[in-house]
Amino acid sequence: MGVTGVAVRHGGDRIAQALQAHGVPCIYTLCGGHISPILSAAKARGIRIVDVRDEATAVFAADAAARLSGRPGVAAVTAGPGISNTITALKNAQLAQSPLVLLGGAAPTALQGRGALQDIDQRPLVEPHVKRFLKMRRVRELGPAVSEAFALAQSGVPGPVFIECPVDLLYDEASIRQWYADAGGKGQALADRALRWYLNRHVARMFDGSTDTAPAAVRPVDAPRATDASLRAAAAALARAAKPLAVIGSQAVVQAEQADALAEAVSRLGIPVYLSGMARGLLGRSHPLQMRHQRRTALREADCVLLAGVPCDFRLDYGKHVRRSATLVAANRSARDARLNRRPDVAAIGDAGAFLQALAQQPQARDPSRRTGWLDTLRARDEARESEIDVQAAVAGEFVNPIALLRALEQEAGENATFIADGGDFVATASYVLHPRRPLAWLDPGAFGTLGVGAGFALGAATTRPEREVWIVFGDGACGFGLAEFDSFVRHGIPVIAVVGNDAGWTQIAREQVKMLHDDVATVLARTAYHEVAAGFGAEGLLVKRMDEVAGALQRARELARQGRPVLVNVWLDKTEFREGSLSM
Ligand SMILES: Cc1ncc(C[n+]2csc(CCOP(=O)(O)OP(=O)(O)O)c2C)c(N)n1
Ligand SMILES: [Mg+2]
């Protein structure tokens, strides 16, 4: 009997039973004959099945669900093209260190490599992008594989894990035995009899030990902890510092349930801080310690820099943003990331969020009294930049000023809003103008920087945190990747609000390309009626061309979403110079 007293029916149900034991609320999927038993059994066990229009969406959704819940998200896709369609989303999750479990179909065990439908060697395709490729050969392995995948996905540096589930392991034993018997035919030649003998033995092996249907065990996963020595060294470095600065990134909030405690700890530390990725919003809408602008200048001035879950990659100019003479403390689950491009003075290898919490317990680490001058300098600079942005927001043009639009969105969005960023210039501007209201209220792709995360992330967010408003901030280019998911939003009653910054182009690329090569080739789009596309899928579509229509449209969008309707607001933007000088590579 299963965990809820329901008898385990077949291999697909073993997986469903294990998912249920792990408290999985939702599977994101696009169907295929290879995985039908998993979906049907999961549905029967009360797991919500959210079916989408592209497998990438399913994996992006599982990624978002993981980031917001702190537990692996689950997607299921069919063999061959179902799996190959997920590669970008899998890679994105891997680089974002997001724990998810991908269940992939596969050709029947006896037919692999023999030209079956959609049969390709899936391991070399998937293995580079996951922590582990678990290949199933026996029915009895299915439940334990789910337990293993969940533990692996969350342990150490989190990431995706793949379970390959051949279709003949998923159906009930009687049907599969019959199927193999039919395949064996009735011929009496030696070769026919040998084939039957081989297939019989094969089936016996597949089902060997499958009478044991005990539910899969849930393995506890402890967050890795940095050493006490690194903690003391970091505390001492902070105590000595006159101009300490912290940069806190996504990895610090992988233990989602710890986010509020972490926010409290960061407040107590009293160090000025920049938040990036999933850590944005950690300190709420505005906090005296949080800076948003001029990070590079601040990093050059700081005499002690604490990087919590942030590698010295392109975002810190490979470590060059941090002054040579500064004491560098790197807290990271990954020893490689902690040392990337620059050796820290203190490498605290372990969960960055837990490290910050432990650091805040060290009395010598927090002594804000000496540092008010430093804090005031940073604050003043931050405010000066805000005033500049005010000036840029006030520039009137033919259509809508993007900064003014985002300021209006900042006003209109509810206190429980989650923002999802998918695009180039427009969302980069949004990352300065929008203030995520709370921990885990901002989602962007992460280091892989792929366009096209928006619809999937929104699905994951809306199904994981249904009580919150979900706003997708889309570039017009980016919105094209997942536009068909308005169909999924409508069918599943998922009321997301998409705001499309329509500048009729792939502007982040055009900006550099035109300057360097005097050619806008392939960067030009039209003022496409994306709102009508959404309406065609049965959602609400609003068009905004003038600034004086913005507030009303955003308000209307929010009302419609409250009534359960997905909405797309297509806003015609003016070009601005806001992003001039920023890189697009
Ligand atoms: C999958 C993928 N393809 C291409 C790119 C390169 N790229 C980065 S930003 C950008 C332009 C995005 O255009 P849009 O979404 O309209 O935003 P805008 O810059 O116009 O505000 C492109 C094409 C990418 N990051 N990801
Ligand atoms: Mg654009």
Side-chain angles (χ1 to χ4, degrees):
M1 297 292 269
V3 275
T4 56
V6 183
V8 179
R9 293 180 291 142
H10 50 53
D13 197 27
R14 284 169 188 260
I15 291 176
Q17 181 199 37
L19 295 175
Q20 188 184 29
H22 285 80
V24 172
C26 200
I27 298 176
Y28 308 97
T29 191
L30 197 161
C31 66
H34 291 95
I35 54 166
S36 297
I38 300 176
L39 301 180
S40 163
K43 178 187 157 199
R45 287 179 180 274
I47 296 175
R48 184 175 183 188
I49 308 296
V50 178
D51 56 310
V52 298
R53 303 299 299 264
D54 180 344
E55 285 85 359
T57 305
V59 174
F60 284 134
D63 175 347
R67 298 191 200 190
L68 296 180
S69 69
R71 285 186 288 170
V74 179
V77 300
T78 201
I83 290 168
S84 58
N85 268 351
T86 67
I87 298 298
T88 295
L90 264 189
K91 194 76 202 176
N92 195 66
Q94 184 191 45
L95 291 202
Q97 304 179 339
S98 183
L100 65 86
V101 175
L102 177 60
L103 304 164
T109 46
L111 292 181
Q112 288 184 9
R114 294 170 191 264
L117 172 72
Q118 298 173 336
D119 179 31
I120 53 166
D121 189 359
Q122 299 181 147
R123 187 189 284 275
L125 182 68
V126 173
E127 201 159 39
H129 319 297
V130 294
K131 290 183 76 175
R132 192 75 58 82
F133 182 102
L134 296 169
K135 190 174 180 72
M136 299 297 98
R137 293 190 175 84
R138 308 259 191 280
V139 172
R140 67 161 191 264
E141 296 167 354
L142 293 168
V146 170
S147 301
E148 188 178 359
F150 266 73
L152 272 170
Q154 297 172 89
S155 65
V157 179
V161 175
F162 182 82
I163 309 179
E164 188 188 65
C165 311
V167 60
D168 53 344
L169 300 187
L170 301 180
Y171 279 90
D172 65 277
E173 186 167 352
S175 305
I176 293 302
R177 283 192 182 277
Q178 188 58 50
W179 185 80
Y180 272 98
D182 293 346
K186 296 199 183 331
Q188 285 308 314
L190 186 61
D192 294 322
R193 279 186 284 155
L195 175 64
R196 275 200 295 280
W197 176 85
Y198 168 78
L199 290 177
N200 264 334
R201 197 184 59 155
H202 183 80
V203 175
R205 280 195 185 161
M206 275 166 52
F207 287 98
D208 181 34
S210 67
T211 46
D212 178 9
T213 59
V218 178
R219 301 186 199 168
V221 180
D222 293 327
R225 292 210 158 253
T227 60
D228 286 345
S230 64
L231 189 62
R232 284 193 301 273
L238 286 180
R240 281 194 305 272
K243 295 178 176 179
L245 190 65
V247 184
I248 303 177
S250 301
Q251 204 204 65
V253 291
V254 289
Q255 299 197 79
E257 73 291 349
Q258 294 283 321
D260 289 327
L262 175 60
E264 217 257 309
V266 173
S267 285
R268 236 174 325 128
L269 267 178
I271 303 171
V273 29
Y274 286 87
L275 302 173
S276 67
M278 289 296 296
R280 294 160 152 282
L282 181 69
L283 300 179
R285 211 162 169 168
S286 66
H287 189 286
L289 290 175
Q290 186 187 352
M291 308 298 152
R292 291 172 199 275
H293 307 294
Q294 320 283 14
R295 186 173 78 176
R296 183 184 309 205
T297 315
L299 280 167
R300 290 247 166 80
E301 290 171 357
D303 59 357
C304 177
V305 173
L306 169 55
L307 299 179
V310 177
C312 280
D313 63 10
F314 66 97
R315 291 165 290 192
L316 295 177
D317 199 14
Y318 309 94
K320 281 187 279 185
H321 283 177
V322 180
R323 201 164 83 187
R324 276 271 151 234
S325 59
T327 306
L328 183 63
V329 180
N332 207 300
R333 284 176 174 239
S334 158
R336 183 181 175 274
D337 281 358
R339 298 187 174 93
L340 188 68
N341 296 314
R342 184 157 169 172
R343 262 199 117 64
D345 299 280
V346 180
I349 309 305
D351 183 77
F355 184 76
L356 285 171
Q357 289 192 53
L359 202 54
Q361 305 279 345
Q362 306 273 315
Q364 51 165 338
R366 42 189 163 97
D367 176 18
S369 54
R370 289 180 293 118
R371 298 167 183 159
T372 44
W374 167 233
L375 199 58
D376 291 346
T377 306
L378 295 175
R379 266 266 72 85
R381 230 189 263 146
D382 220 54
E383 277 153 24
R385 180 67 186 129
E386 284 293 334
S387 310
E388 281 173 31
I389 297 175
D390 284 339
V391 173
Q392 289 169 307
V395 176
E398 195 183 356
F399 303 116
V400 173
N401 175 318
I403 305 165
L405 166 65
L406 290 161
R407 287 252 152 116
L409 175 51
E410 167 63 19
Q411 284 300 311
E412 182 58 36
E415 283 311 305
N416 68 356
T418 299
F419 298 118
I420 290 163
D422 186 8
D425 268 14
F426 180 57
V427 304
T429 304
S431 73
Y432 287 98
V433 176
L434 294 180
H435 295 190
R437 277 86 170 119
R438 55 163 83 195
L440 306 173
W442 172 275
L443 284 139
D444 61 30
F448 196 47
T450 184
L451 296 174
V453 298
F457 277 12
L459 264 174
T463 45
T464 305
R465 300 250 174 259
E467 72 289 358
R468 297 195 190 171
E469 285 173 21
V470 177
W471 295 81
I472 314 176
V473 181
F474 262 142
D476 54 333
C479 88
F481 288 83
L483 211 46
E485 300 302 353
F486 268 86
D487 176 78
S488 312
F489 299 152
V490 171
R491 282 183 300 105
H492 290 282
I494 291 174
V496 311
I497 310 169
V499 177
V500 178
N502 190 339
D503 54 10
W506 306 93
T507 302
Q508 183 177 321
I509 305 307
R511 195 159 37 73
E512 293 285 301
Q513 184 177 306
V514 171
K515 205 183 321 163
M516 308 278 289
L517 303 168
H518 313 291
D519 190 350
D520 65 1
V521 61
T523 66
V524 181
L525 293 169
R527 298 270 188 192
T528 300
Y530 299 107
H531 58 292
E532 289 181 15
V533 180
F537 282 117
E540 303 286 341
L542 307 175
L543 175 63
V544 175
K545 291 189 185 176
R546 291 202 326 269
M547 201 55 227
D548 60 7
E549 301 163 346
V550 165
L554 294 178
Q555 207 173 16
R556 175 88 188 117
R558 199 168 165 219
E559 274 165 26
L560 287 164
R562 272 208 218 101
Q563 294 160 23
R565 306 280 300 143
V567 193
L568 186 149
V569 191
N570 183 12
V571 187
W572 285 26
L573 298 183
D574 280 324
K575 304 270 179 205
T576 73
E577 305 296 301
F578 187 79
R579 303 276 309 145
E580 213 41 56
S582 60
L583 275 181
S584 63
M585 281 181 282

